[in-house]
Amino acid sequence: MAYKVTLIPGDGIGPEVISAAVDVIEATGVHINWERVEAGGQAMEKEGTPLPAYVIESIRKNKIALKGPLTTPIGYGFRSLNVALRKEFDLFANIRPVRSFDGVESLHKDVDLIIVRENTEDLYIGQERMIDDNRAESIKVITKGASERICKYAFYLAENLNRKKVTLVHKANILKLTDGLFLETGRKVAKDHPHIEFEEVIVDAMSMKLVQNPQDYQVIVAPNLYGDILSDLAAGLVGGLGLAPSANIGEDIAIFEPVHGSALDIANMNMANPISAILSGAMMLKHMGRLKEAGMIEDAIEDVLKDKESRTRDLGGILGTREFTEKIIEKIYSYKQVEGDGYAKEI
Ligand code: ATP
């Protein structure tokens, strides 16, 4: 079966890391028809807009996109292109898997959790004002609909990825109405999934527990602000943002992208670490139901990183983006040779 996916290489190191992700995905044997479109600085130069209509049309038609980091031209009218895309497609869930790799220096080992962050409301609706010279206020909005949607998605992910527990994060002891509604809604959704353990943790306690025992968590679902903070905190436990993939998910559209920015300082120098983009590609494969191939990619990264020499410079190695990508591809081919079509490592 051939899939059609919108490919947005993006700016800075984007084209290098996204092309690495494409090559690795091809190596797994999943056939994808990539519809390549330009957005960000590249599009601004050629089309006079960082987000041409054909980019939006392509994503709407294909429903899945793999994208690199975009630089948002200043003063163009977009606060951020990522926010513009999120709004255009109502991408209500931000998904950030966080896992440790044996070879990479990190505070914790054996971490493998997924943070599911509500992406449309909470304090991020931008309703702030100065009441007078000395007082400012910001409005926090939590709705039952958005809470239900995100909690259902967290359980859906847990079920599809064989996770046994969902942890809901809140501060309902203080924010009784807003976080209270989020918690109440989460409890109701949990009742429909009795085979998955449901746990509620207050956000301050969660921060401590995550730092101490991140291995205890599998899927964490949180309102926008706590999800934002905990995502970076968790990434810090396993070696930083450089390795982190992400997805923004809507009802029928999903955009996968590395967490890092365009890193213009190392663009076109064959120095960028492509892991974040490659893992975003693996997330995309999981979303398409190609769990076996996604597992191959994750295993290949894990295996290649075990050798200190086989890393990019940011991880203390000597390899360039291309050479590292070749190693991952070779590793995938070696799995396929050994196991034929029966590759079935635990994922
Ligand atoms: P933007 O302005 O688009 O957010 P940025 O350049 O600030 O992008 P960050 O992702 O915040 O990008 O990266 C900060 C620095 O970390 C970069 O300048 C670069 O040196 C390094 N860096 C980021 N991503 C990578 C990567 N994939 N591989 C190697 N180094 C990276």
Side-chain angles (χ1 to χ4, degrees):
M1 170 180 180
Y3 304 89
K4 200 156 183 203
V5 170
T6 298
L7 188 72
I8 308 173
D11 297 311
I13 58 172
E16 293 164 85
V17 296
I18 290 296
S19 123
V22 166
D23 292 350
V24 168
I25 290 170
E26 302 268 304
T28 66
V30 177
H31 184 60
I32 293 179
N33 266 328
W34 301 99
E35 187 167 282
R36 193 188 157 104
V37 293
E38 272 168 10
Q42 301 259 352
M44 187 70 195
E45 266 172 35
K46 289 189 192 157
E47 313 275 341
T49 166
L51 200 52
Y54 62 74
V55 173
I56 301 285
E57 276 157 31
S58 171
I59 300 174
R60 200 181 304 288
K61 175 170 56 91
N62 296 326
K63 309 214 181 307
I64 300 184
L66 179 62
K67 102 182 224 316
L70 301 176
T71 50
T72 306
I74 295 167
Y76 187 77
F78 285 113
R79 193 157 42 108
S80 139
L81 289 173
N82 290 329
V83 173
L85 285 171
R86 193 181 305 157
K87 289 205 163 137
E88 177 70 33
F89 298 116
D90 190 21
L91 304 175
F92 65 88
N94 180 256
I95 312 298
R96 291 264 294 266
V98 175
R99 60 163 292 183
S100 50
F101 288 98
D102 270 354
V104 177
E105 219 173 279
S106 62
L107 294 169
H108 284 279
K109 295 284 164 221
D110 301 321
V111 179
D112 189 9
L113 58 87
I114 304 168
I115 298 188
V116 179
R117 163 187 169 194
E118 203 291 322
N119 222 5
T120 65
E121 54 182 27
D122 196 353
L123 279 164
Y124 287 49
I125 56 168
Q127 289 199 25
E128 277 196 307
R129 67 176 185 122
M130 294 302 296
I131 300 167
D132 56 38
D133 284 350
N134 301 310
R135 290 181 301 159
E137 70 177 8
S138 182
I139 295 180
K140 170 168 166 125
V141 171
I142 298 284
T143 64
K144 194 169 158 191
S147 304
E148 192 174 272
R149 188 158 74 157
I150 198 72
C151 290
K152 279 187 173 168
Y153 193 76
F155 277 95
Y156 162 83
L157 264 191
E159 262 160 11
N160 273 276
L161 301 176
N162 276 325
R163 309 292 171 121
K164 309 276 176 261
K165 183 168 86 168
V166 170
T167 305
L168 180 147
V169 177
H170 66 94
K171 186 76 187 173
N173 52 331
I174 304 293
L175 299 165
K176 293 186 192 314
L177 298 182
T178 47
D179 281 13
L181 180 58
F182 188 79
L183 175 58
E184 192 54 35
T185 309
R187 284 177 180 159
K188 279 192 192 134
V189 172
K191 285 213 173 93
D192 294 333
H193 304 269
H195 48 290
I196 292 182
E197 187 188 339
F198 178 63
E199 172 181 61
E200 312 163 2
V201 184
I202 293 174
V203 62
D204 36 348
M206 187 71 211
S207 310
M208 185 182 71
K209 289 174 183 219
L210 254 186
V211 170
Q212 290 179 330
N213 297 308
Q215 301 83 355
D216 289 351
Y217 301 96
Q218 301 185 19
V219 175
I220 295 172
V221 61
N224 210 339
L225 177 63
Y226 313 144
D228 189 8
I229 297 168
L230 292 177
S231 295
D232 277 23
L233 183 150
L237 298 174
V238 296
L241 293 176
L243 303 178
S246 78
N248 285 299
I249 308 276
E251 288 298 344
D252 61 350
I253 287 174
I255 302 181
F256 298 83
E257 61 185 331
V259 169
H260 61 74
S262 48
L264 292 169
D265 53 328
I266 55 163
N268 303 315
M269 292 165 80
N270 194 33
M271 276 173 70
N273 182 347
I275 291 180
S276 183
I278 294 173
L279 286 175
S280 303
M283 282 182 86
M284 184 185 86
L285 291 183
K286 284 185 191 172
H287 181 79
M288 294 166 162
R290 304 298 295 252
L291 300 190
K292 183 179 85 171
E293 289 84 355
M296 263 190 214
I297 294 178
E298 290 175 350
D299 287 342
I301 290 177
E302 173 112 55
D303 283 347
V304 168
L305 284 178
K306 281 181 188 154
D307 177 3
K308 266 207 163 119
E309 301 278 294
S310 301
R311 300 182 194 163
T312 45
R313 287 184 214 169
D314 55 305
L315 296 180
I318 52 167
L319 297 185
T321 313
R322 271 323 308 168
E323 294 70 31
F324 178 78
T325 306
E326 286 307 322
K327 290 247 178 215
I328 302 289
I329 290 172
E330 273 167 31
K331 189 56 85 180
I332 289 172
Y333 284 150
S334 77
Y335 297 154
K336 287 168 86 175
Q337 252 172 9
V338 173
E339 313 223 11
D341 265 340
Y343 184 85
K345 261 182 153 175
E346 282 267 319
I347 48 175

